[in-house]
Structures are given as structure tokens and as C-alpha cells.
Amino acid sequence: LLPVLPQLLTEYFRIMTEIGNDEVVAALQVIIDKFGDHIEPHAVALVTQLSAAFENYCSTGEDDDDAAMAAAQCLECIATVLKGICERPDLFKSMEPQLVPLVLQILGNDGAFIEYLEYALDILTFLTYFPDEISPQLWEAFPLIYTAFDQWAFDYLNFMVPPLENFIAKSPQHFLAGTTNTPEGTVRYIDLVFSIVAKTVTEDRTSDSECRKALCLYMSILHSCPGAVDAYLPMMNDVALGKLGQQVNNEVPFTRIAVFQVIGSALYYNPQLELAELEKRGVTQQVFTQWIQDSEEMEKWLPRKLTVLGLTSILMMNANSLPPSVQGSIPQIVSVVVSMTEKMKEEAEKEDSQEGNFEEEAEEEDEEEAFEGFGEDEDVTNEADELYMNALNQLSSGGDNAVARFLMGEAFDDDFDDDDDDFMSPLDEVDTLLYVNDTLKAAFQREPEVYQQVQAALAPETVNTCQKLFAAADSQRAQEAQQQAQQAQ
């Protein structure tokens, strides 16, 4: 079918225009899925046609269930096309004239199109992530997300956070300067986000997983707006520490860990200001005691990194300027930082090794004889296809919402940890090993007597591990310098 794919798509467009039902669009979805690697030349035409079809289906009236289903299928097809062109950010810009009005239509209109909201937010996530910059037309969606959340789509928070994070990270200056007009007056975009987080975290009907998702917005702001949000630290601590107090006796530590990610981010942002906030509330010792205890339950990269960066940032301050409870805990803080950094280093080396093995296996598979087709007496299927379809069928048994939750990375149960692999920020560029190395060495040079006492209080294995980390950091820097010298030649 590949040689006649353009003609096939043209014929489907004609059928959609003349007949227009969900089965036709579903069949088109199968073609897009099957030929995803070859869909790029037809992407703009597909999105244009599907956007027009969506408008036509929506205009048939609220009582036409078939048309509503076909409209939803159109949006799902659009999302599939966007997934297939992730490496061509220029194409996203050429599709904005069709997609931005569609997204704004669904986000607005007081929830009249709420059945399509998940798809619209999915499309908005693509449009705000892959292009190099966010257009003024796309920024019109920002206040609409807040209005939808506040008035009729509170339960869609998990789908709203990814595009909001993209807006913040991609253009922090625009985010900080942005305002919108509301019945109460002019409101800053950052205040809209803080309102979303506060309402989510303090609302009784909110699940723990939704609270954790909302707290990620605090992290995005702290990571993307260095030195620009000092005035918001008190409000951030009020909400985050309030949630921590509610969770202190919870057996499952995931929401507490999410709070510690925020505190770690705040300490990295400004350790002096964040410690002052903790001291002001009289909770410094309790927070650090619980944080160090829960650090043993941290199995994922993100909470570990933010714990290491946050705790290490404290050591940038003079010891005599630290709160007394923190001064007495410096040896324990150093022990946690060193232990966790070592674990992260070992896991990174293990992953690099596994990736190397995977690449070798992939090359070996490529050398094997290519599949030559099915025999005349064989069914046109294979084991991989059957397993894939079985998995989809099992997933679909949970309903459309289950599929959407799975695709968006939401945990199905509050007792399961959230997938933080998709959280991206400027802190991804911070090398944890080098940061720990530089901060500890600077602290020893700045206050040798204090840190000689700290070293004397450390366990011998911790001192030994620390020396190994220093050597690894020096080796890494030497290799990087050598590579730069070779590239300069």
C-alpha cells in the first residue's frame, strides 16, 4: 500500500467529506498508525482535513452521537499525526492556523466541548513542547486553561499540567510578564498557576496523585525562573508544608516525597530564603528529619536529584549563618548527599552499560534475514501484532478514561508512584556529581575548621565514598577537557 499512500489518503478525505462517520475516521486512524514513519509528507494536509472534519461533525448538533464520536476520532488522529512528526518542529508552526483555533474553541465556550478537552490538551502539549518558541496565538490558551479548571474542568488537572509546564519552561520571561483580564481585574499568569496549585492541593476531593501533579508546577517555576519569584516562596511553602503536615503519618511516602521535591527545588533556588521560610514556621528540624527518613524510600531519579541539589545548596552558606538545628545536622546532610550521589552515579553507569548492550543486540537483529511475507496458507498476522492488540484490548476494557490516563502517564492508584520521567527543566543540565564535588570542596576551603569537625563526625565509609566521588569528578572533568581540545583541533 505504501506506493499508493497519497492516493489512498486523498480517497479517504473524499469519503470523509461525503459520508462522514466515526468508522471512516477510525479506518484512517489505522492507516496513520500503520504508516507512521511515512506520514510526514502528508502531515499538514492530514491535519488540515481532520480539523475541517472536526468542525463539520461538531456543527451537526449535540444529539448526534455518531458525529460526536467521529469528531473525537478526528482529534485522536491529529494527535497521532503530531506524534509522528516530533523531529520536525517547523511543521508544527505550519499547522497552528488550523489547530490553535480548534484548541481555543474547545477550551472556551464554558465547557460546551468538554468531551473533547483531553484531546485538545494533548494537542496543546505537542504545540507548546516541540516548536522552538511559543507563538502569541498559542499564549491565548494559557488563561483559558485556568478558566476551564476553575469553572468546569477541575477533574482534568492531570491533562492541564503538561502544557502549562511547557509554557513556563519554554518562555519564562513571557510567563512572568503575562497578564489576563478577569472580572476581579488584571491577574498575572503566575498568580493563575499558584491558584491552580493551591485549589488542587487544599481541595478535599483531590486525589494524592493529582496533588503531586499540581506540585510539579511549583518545581517548573522554581527551575525556570531563577531569582525572579522570591515573593512567591511564602505562598509556596504555605501550600506545600500544609500538605506535608497532612501526610506525615501516611504509610505511602509518595506525596511527602513530592513536597520534598518542591523544598529541594526551593533550596536550590535560594537556600537562605527557603531556610528562613522553614524557620519562620518553626518546622525546620521536623522537615529535615522526615526528609532524610523518606530519602531511603526514593527510588526514582528526580526526587533523588532534587534531594541532592537541595541539601547540597545548604552547604553553600556559611555554617554560622545556618539555623542551629541545621548546623548540628551538617554531618548527616553530607552523609545523605554522598550516599545518594553514589547510588545515582552507579545507576547511571549501569544504564549506560545496558544501552550499549541494547545497541549491539539491535545491530545483530538488523543483520538477520528480513521478513519476506506470509505464505498463501498463513493468516496475515504475527505474534507481535497479536500481543500488541491484546494489550490494547485489555487497556481499553478500563474505558476511554483509562486509556487517556495511561497515555498521559497518570498513575491508576494513589499507592503507586507517579512517572516523573517526562518532567523536564533547566536542572536537567546540572551535573549532580560535579555540583556536589564543587560545593563540598568550596565549603572545606571556605571553613576548614568547621568541615574538619564535620569530617571527623562522618563514618569512615562515607569519607571513603566522598573521596571516590571527588576522584570521579576530577576524571570526568579531565575527559571533558580532552574532548574539547580534540574538537578544537
Side-chain angles (χ1 to χ4, degrees):
L1 291 178
L2 185 58
V4 296
L5 180 59
Q7 295 90 332
L8 187 62
L9 292 174
T10 300
E11 186 63 18
Y12 262 97
F13 293 156
R14 184 188 65 79
I15 296 173
M16 285 171 59
T17 303
E18 294 181 1
I19 302 175
N21 63 43
D22 61 302
E23 293 181 359
V24 175
V25 185
L28 179 61
Q29 171 86 45
V30 173
I31 293 175
I32 295 173
D33 285 335
K34 192 69 176 177
F35 296 100
D37 294 339
H38 306 278
I39 216 70
E40 185 181 295
H42 316 286
V44 175
L46 274 167
V47 167
T48 301
Q49 186 69 30
L50 289 165
S51 300
F54 172 79
E55 292 294 341
N56 290 335
Y57 294 138
C58 286
S59 65
T60 60
E62 298 180 0
D63 297 331
D64 192 335
D65 292 339
D66 290 339
M69 182 70 73
Q73 287 276 4
C74 287
L75 297 181
E76 191 171 355
C77 283
I78 290 173
T80 303
V81 172
L82 297 181
K83 289 175 187 175
I85 61 167
C86 293
E87 297 181 1
R88 289 288 308 276
D90 54 305
L91 289 179
F92 285 89
K93 303 301 290 184
S94 62
M95 295 176 183
E96 283 191 12
Q98 291 77 37
L99 295 180
V100 173
L102 181 152
V103 170
L104 297 181
Q105 175 186 359
I106 294 170
L107 284 172
N109 293 288
D110 296 324
F113 298 93
I114 190 172
E115 66 265 40
Y116 309 120
L117 183 58
E118 293 177 16
Y119 299 108
L121 292 168
D122 197 12
I123 292 169
L124 184 60
T125 300
F126 281 105
L127 294 177
T128 52
Y129 181 80
F130 288 102
D132 295 330
E133 58 184 29
I134 298 175
S135 67
Q137 292 75 26
L138 267 178
W139 274 102
E140 293 179 25
F142 195 99
L144 292 180
I145 293 175
Y146 171 78
T147 301
F149 168 85
D150 187 54
Q151 297 182 7
W152 51 270
F154 182 90
D155 295 331
Y156 289 78
L157 182 279
N158 282 350
F159 301 96
M160 296 176 176
V161 169
L164 288 175
E165 289 178 331
N166 294 342
F167 277 115
I168 296 167
K170 189 64 67 78
S171 186
Q173 294 306 317
H174 193 136
F175 165 68
L176 291 171
T179 61
T180 187
N181 293 321
T182 69
E184 292 77 26
T186 301
V187 180
R188 299 176 66 192
Y189 284 173
I190 188 172
D191 292 320
L192 298 181
V193 173
F194 269 74
S195 178
I196 287 175
V197 179
K199 289 182 180 180
T200 301
V201 174
T202 58
E203 175 66 47
D204 290 339
R205 60 185 167 134
T206 305
S207 68
D208 281 350
S209 66
E210 289 170 328
C211 286
R212 296 193 290 268
K213 198 73 172 177
L215 289 170
C216 287
L217 291 171
Y218 281 165
M219 292 158 51
S220 293
I221 293 172
L222 288 168
H223 299 178
S224 300
C225 308
V229 292
D230 292 5
Y232 287 86
L233 281 181
M235 190 187 316
M236 196 179 297
N237 277 277
D238 285 343
V239 173
L241 294 174
K243 192 64 182 177
L244 181 63
Q246 295 173 5
Q247 293 281 323
V248 70
N249 294 319
N250 198 329
E251 279 187 35
V252 181
F254 301 137
T255 301
R256 289 199 302 273
I257 289 174
V259 173
F260 293 134
Q261 289 180 169
V262 173
I263 296 174
S265 300
L267 285 168
Y268 181 82
Y269 171 88
N270 189 320
Q272 185 173 357
L273 285 181
E274 177 58 19
L275 285 175
E277 290 297 324
L278 296 176
E279 280 291 288
K280 185 168 65 177
R281 294 165 177 79
V283 298
T284 307
Q285 187 167 359
Q286 298 96 308
V287 166
F288 278 89
T289 299
Q290 187 68 58
W291 191 355
I292 291 172
Q293 180 180 327
D294 282 340
S295 69
E296 299 176 2
E297 304 293 328
M298 295 177 183
E299 298 179 353
K300 294 203 169 185
W301 184 267
L302 182 62
R304 285 180 174 179
K305 179 166 186 173
L306 293 178
T307 293
V308 169
L309 295 183
L311 294 179
T312 304
S313 296
I314 296 172
L315 306 179
M316 298 175 70
M317 298 174 59
N318 289 330
N320 60 10
S321 66
L322 295 172
S325 59
V326 177
Q327 286 184 35
S329 300
I330 290 178
Q332 194 174 12
I333 290 172
V334 172
S335 295
V336 172
V337 165
V338 168
S339 174
M340 195 166 284
T341 304
E342 181 191 31
K343 288 179 183 177
M344 294 174 67
K345 177 177 175 294
E346 291 175 349
E347 288 182 5
E349 292 171 348
K350 184 178 179 181
E351 287 179 6
D352 289 342
S353 175
Q354 290 175 343
E355 286 179 5
N357 293 336
F358 177 78
E359 290 175 0
E360 291 178 5
E361 292 173 2
E363 290 176 1
E364 293 174 1
E365 289 176 3
D366 289 341
E367 294 172 359
E368 294 179 1
E369 186 176 354
F371 176 65
E372 297 181 353
F374 296 97
E376 294 182 0
D377 57 344
E378 291 182 291
D379 292 332
V380 185
T381 185
N382 59 45
E383 183 179 358
D385 285 340
E386 289 179 353
L387 290 171
Y388 176 71
M389 291 308 298
N390 287 339
L392 284 181
N393 290 333
Q394 290 174 9
L395 183 61
S396 298
S397 65
D400 290 342
N401 191 46
V403 176
R405 288 166 62 200
F406 173 79
L407 292 175
M408 294 299 289
E410 180 187 350
F412 280 85
D413 191 311
D414 280 344
D415 288 344
F416 288 95
D417 199 359
D418 306 298
D419 185 1
D420 54 41
D421 294 338
D422 59 348
F423 182 84
M424 302 181 71
S425 83
L427 265 63
D428 294 338
E429 302 302 318
V430 178
D431 189 302
T432 308
L433 175 62
L434 297 183
Y435 187 79
V436 170
N437 172 78
D438 296 349
T439 304
L440 284 177
K441 286 182 177 178
F444 271 87
Q445 292 174 358
R446 184 184 68 240
E447 300 172 280
E449 293 183 2
V450 172
Y451 280 91
Q452 284 172 4
Q453 295 175 5
V454 170
Q455 181 173 337
L458 297 175
E461 56 267 25
T462 300
V463 175
N464 185 42
T465 301
C466 191
Q467 292 171 345
K468 289 180 179 179
L469 292 176
F470 289 165
D474 292 341
S475 175
Q476 179 177 321
R477 279 228 165 88
Q479 290 177 0
E480 290 174 354
Q482 185 177 6
Q483 290 174 356
Q484 291 175 357
Q486 291 174 347
Q487 292 173 356
Q489 292 176 355

